[in-house]
Amino acid sequence: MGVIEGEKRQFMTGNEVVAWAALAAGAKAMFGYPITPQNEIMHYWTRMAPEYGLKFLQTEDELSAGFATLGGALAGTITFCATAGPGNVLMQEPISMAEMMRVPAVWVIQQRGGPSTATVIYSQQETRLTCLGGNGEGLRIVYSTASHQDMFDYVIKAFWAAWKFRFPAFVLGDGYQAKMREPVTIYDPEGAGVELPVAAPILKPSGVPSVDREPVHMRNTFNIEEELMDVLMEHIRDYSEMAPQIVESEKYLCEDAEILVVAHGIVWRSAKEAVLGLRERGVSAGAFRPITLRPFPEDDLRAAARTAELIVVAESAYGQLESMVRDRLYRIQVPIKGILKPGVGITAEEIVEGVTQLAEMSRSEG
Amino acid sequence: MIFELADKGLRPKAWRSETKPHRFCPGCGHGIILKGLADVIDELGIHELGVFACDIGCSLLSWDFFNLDSVQTHHGRTVPVVVGLKKVRPDLTVVAYVGDGGGYSIGLQHLISSAVRNDPVTVVLANNTLYAMTGGQMAPTTLSGQKTSTTPYGRSIEETGPPFMGPEIVSAAASDSAYVARGSVTRFPELKQILKKALLNQMLRSSFSFVEFLSSCPTNWRTKPADTLKFVNEDMARTFPLKEHRVPKDLS
């Protein structure tokens, strides 16, 4: 039996949900460094630690937390890390190594405003950084959550995906989701038929190196550029093969939508509400949400945009999702506009108003 | 010749023959430190439970040096990687092998913090007074007046501060349980004794060890063999005294 018996209805903060989900997924170690708004993940984890035999180390910085996370994962323990903002910037260094060495690990990112430090409550400005940060090719899995239920479900899924495909996996939340309380059903994943990660030691599998088996030599150094490219092309091929098994999206009233609102994370909740508001005004609107931002559900997006005459991206950043959408809809003969509010939340009413104005502008541009 | 001798059983078992000769320049001190480490790994019998981790710069050339599972990283992050390994697998014996740039400059926070926490890990640092792999730039350990590619007229202490005294500073931060010492590649029997204590302090006492070795870089120093030895034994040793800074009572 898992750590949660059956199903339990709870009213808790997103950070608490993350700690429970990590525990339910079988995580045994966390490394972290204080930064708002993810701190309570560490608080809950350390409180749970004695009861469940969990490991934790508060490191000297995020670089150390990230690299120690990789050490734990290399040793075959399901390990994770959580951070935000400038911590996410530092975290890109260990994450790049995880990508290249194919070390599985999970990062929970509770976004905050930027650049640099800024506000701590809410933002979607770490979208691009989380998807594509580091000196590499963005070989990561990024789930963007819109509710506490998502937090619980996708934290568990992120552990599964990271260990199954050996790419670093992220759950991209934000300060609202981290700090607010809302109802959530936490459950024993095994009982619910949810797949769990299976971890094996990458370093120190059984046997004496060079006696029973070859030594494992993990490295990120190559003698020539072509050698690097060969290794990387293999990773890229694996990533491409994985993508169809990972991509997820959600559609809302898209079948006949002339206006398609695209949003991720918590803005998705406003987008859905806005679609109803627009429909009340006689506008046939629909909404599309990429759940995975990396890999991006581009086929789903194209299908959702089939009947669209205008696409509006709503996000709490200045065009980070919008540029992804534009890229994926290259050559589409439909205007793509944005309701872009960097670092600020977006209400359904704002989307209704914004879409109405953009639709008028679009008609007059004709 | 030397390889024929080695094949007659004179080469340490921990030394991976398939990757020899190693990749270091002639006259480099890394090979001596790693040979000493291989001997000590043999002596302590830790092939099965040992993990070797190396850093960026010349130290990374040791990524496949041993018949040991190993991992290579960069910028002194080798220390948190082995801290993470050790946290979840306390039965392992872990060694982080770094240079003076990784250990004393870009990754100093990791080294110092690990010492403060008394993490049960062993950190081995090669001090060759400069960044060798990148072309011989000034390092925290560059001697006063020493010419490097970024101090072409000699290191100015007024502008850049004095050479970084690694074991002295780490031992000030470390606990009484820690083993902290400085040795030299020109004193091989002592080097092995130091490495042995540094590993035993982790294995038997679950405590932190940090050891620095004065090492040689004739390629960047542009020295002939005799001058290379002289630089280590005289110039470097004058600034960096060979000494055990912290020896737990039951380890000496």
Side-chain angles (χ1 to χ4, degrees):
Chain A
M1 197 180 60
V3 291
I4 301 164
E5 269 180 66
E7 260 185 34
K8 276 184 186 163
R9 196 68 176 156
Q10 300 283 328
F11 186 66
M12 50 170 71
T13 66
N15 281 338
E16 194 173 0
V17 172
V18 169
W20 276 103
L23 183 68
K28 290 278 183 267
M30 179 190 185
F31 296 90
Y33 183 80
I35 189 162
T36 309
Q38 63 76 42
N39 298 309
E40 294 82 3
I41 300 175
M42 302 187 292
H43 304 175
Y44 291 114
W45 186 260
T46 47
R47 261 181 246 174
M48 290 168 167
E51 190 178 345
Y52 299 102
L54 309 174
K55 302 278 173 73
F56 175 80
L57 181 67
Q58 181 174 324
T59 55
E60 60 276 15
D61 58 19
E62 283 90 350
L63 294 164
S64 182
F67 278 99
T69 298
L70 300 185
L74 284 168
T77 297
I78 297 174
T79 309
F80 78 110
C81 196
T83 192
N88 193 4
V89 173
L90 289 181
M91 217 48 100
Q92 296 306 316
E93 196 183 309
I95 292 162
S96 297
M97 180 175 126
E99 275 183 36
M100 193 60 187
M101 288 192 186
R102 303 289 297 271
V103 184
V106 166
W107 273 267
V108 177
I109 309 292
Q110 305 288 31
Q111 296 173 89
R112 50 184 274 166
S116 187
T117 52
T119 61
V120 296
I121 299 168
Y122 176 72
S123 179
Q124 291 189 319
Q125 293 171 283
E126 293 168 55
T127 300
R128 195 182 284 133
L129 177 69
T130 305
C131 290
L132 297 165
N135 56 335
E137 304 294 338
L139 304 178
R140 308 137 177 227
I141 300 160
V142 181
Y143 293 106
S144 172
T145 59
S147 67
H148 284 24
Q149 196 58 58
D150 275 356
M151 277 269 170
F152 191 80
D153 297 347
Y154 285 105
V155 165
I156 294 171
K157 196 174 263 187
F159 279 107
W160 164 79
W163 264 267
K164 181 166 174 73
F165 298 104
R166 283 183 64 165
F167 287 109
F170 297 80
V171 175
L172 186 65
D174 57 65
Y176 284 171
Q177 295 184 66
K179 298 279 191 182
M180 75 172 170
R181 286 176 196 275
E182 71 175 6
V184 59
T185 302
I186 65 169
Y187 50 83
D188 167 30
E190 261 184 314
V194 172
E195 279 191 271
L196 286 174
V198 181
I202 297 170
L203 286 179
K204 307 311 294 176
S206 61
V208 182
S210 85
V211 177
D212 308 319
R213 59 169 173 83
E214 288 294 295
V216 180
H217 288 140
M218 305 285 294
R219 60 163 167 155
N220 198 4
T221 174
F222 302 95
N223 295 326
I224 51 170
E225 279 73 7
E226 284 76 7
E227 193 185 0
L228 164 70
M229 191 181 82
D230 287 347
V231 173
L232 199 47
M233 289 311 288
E234 238 176 82
H235 297 343
I236 291 167
R237 195 198 61 217
D238 290 351
Y239 188 83
S240 307
E241 282 174 10
M242 171 198 72
Q245 303 170 66
I246 287 286
V247 286
E248 278 188 54
S249 64
E250 193 175 347
K251 276 189 281 195
Y252 187 63
L253 304 179
C254 286
E255 292 70 23
D256 61 342
E258 289 167 12
I259 291 176
L260 182 70
V261 180
V262 182
H264 79 98
I266 205 164
V267 181
W268 169 248
R269 290 159 74 152
S270 300
K272 279 208 298 190
E273 209 180 309
V275 163
L276 291 180
L278 286 161
R279 285 194 175 248
E280 272 169 27
R281 291 190 183 191
V283 181
S284 76
F288 177 82
R289 168 199 179 196
I291 296 174
T292 50
L293 294 170
R294 282 288 292 168
F296 197 90
E298 51 196 65
D299 294 343
D300 296 351
L301 173 62
R302 279 189 175 269
R306 204 172 34 86
T307 58
E309 289 165 18
L310 171 67
I311 294 166
V312 177
V313 180
E315 59 173 318
S316 302
Y318 203 76
Q320 301 198 16
L321 175 64
E322 189 195 10
S323 65
M324 290 181 191
V325 169
R326 276 184 193 285
D327 187 27
R328 272 31 180 243
L329 293 178
Y330 178 60
R331 296 187 98 163
I332 196 170
Q333 299 299 313
V334 172
I336 300 170
K337 307 276 183 188
I339 299 172
L340 310 175
K341 298 185 70 179
V344 175
I346 303 177
T347 63
E349 292 74 18
E350 285 173 308
I351 295 178
V352 171
E353 285 312 310
V355 166
T356 307
Q357 281 173 20
L358 289 166
E360 271 168 31
M361 277 167 58
S362 176
R363 260 194 301 279
S364 61
E365 281 167 14
Chain B
M1 165 76 172
I2 191 162
F3 292 100
E4 284 164 26
L5 284 175
D7 287 338
K8 287 174 189 156
L10 295 171
R11 184 184 287 169
K13 272 193 239 145
W15 174 298
R16 186 158 178 77
S17 305
E18 292 86 331
T19 59
K20 303 298 171 297
H22 61 59
R23 302 183 185 86
F24 299 102
C25 301
C28 171
H30 275 296
I32 300 171
I33 301 171
L34 295 168
K35 163 73 162 63
L37 187 56
D39 284 344
V40 172
I41 288 167
D42 276 13
E43 213 175 305
L44 299 175
I46 48 175
H47 302 86
E48 187 171 359
L49 290 174
V51 173
F52 176 77
C54 57
D55 212 68
I56 201 170
C58 294
S59 87
L60 72 76
L61 296 173
S62 62
W63 65 270
D64 60 353
F65 196 95
F66 296 109
N67 277 324
L68 239 62
D69 285 359
S70 68
V71 56
Q72 171 261 324
T73 176
H74 59 260
H75 293 178
R77 321 300 182 219
T78 307
V79 175
V81 167
V82 299
V83 168
L85 274 161
K86 186 79 179 184
K87 189 85 183 163
V88 300
R89 284 285 309 272
D91 57 320
L92 299 178
T93 301
V94 297
V95 179
Y97 186 60
V98 302
D100 38 15
Y104 294 156
S105 189
I106 197 165
L108 177 62
Q109 74 273 37
H110 307 312
L111 176 60
I112 289 280
S113 304
S114 197
V116 170
R117 289 188 300 254
N118 195 33
D119 290 329
V121 302
T122 300
V123 183
V124 180
L125 183 144
N127 169 3
N128 59 9
T129 73
L130 40 69
Y131 288 81
M133 181 70 95
T134 46
Q137 295 84 3
M138 181 184 74
T141 46
T142 298
L143 303 182
S144 174
Q146 186 183 343
K147 287 181 182 172
T148 71
S149 51
T150 50
T151 55
Y153 307 107
R155 179 178 187 174
S156 156
I157 299 304
E158 288 71 33
E159 268 182 57
T160 64
F164 188 89
M165 305 301 282
E168 288 79 356
I169 288 167
V170 170
S171 81
S175 74
D176 288 341
S177 299
Y179 176 71
V180 181
R182 182 187 286 117
S184 169
V185 295
T186 60
R187 296 184 174 206
F188 192 66
E190 269 174 41
L191 175 146
K192 277 171 60 171
Q193 278 308 309
I194 289 172
L195 282 170
K196 194 172 169 185
K197 287 183 196 171
L199 285 167
L200 284 172
N201 200 37
Q202 178 188 167
M203 295 163 69
L204 304 178
R205 305 184 66 261
S206 289
S207 288
F208 178 81
S209 300
F210 172 66
V211 297
E212 176 195 295
F213 293 111
L214 304 186
S215 186
S216 50
C217 183
T219 303
N220 282 294
W221 294 349
R222 295 172 170 79
T223 44
K224 292 176 179 162
D227 296 332
T228 303
L229 280 172
K230 191 164 169 283
F231 191 80
V232 176
N233 289 335
E234 293 175 25
D235 299 71
M236 284 178 79
R238 244 195 316 275
T239 300
F240 303 118
L242 304 184
K243 192 181 160 188
E244 287 187 316
H245 287 269
R246 272 191 187 276
V247 188
K249 278 199 187 73
D250 43 344
L251 196 71
S252 50

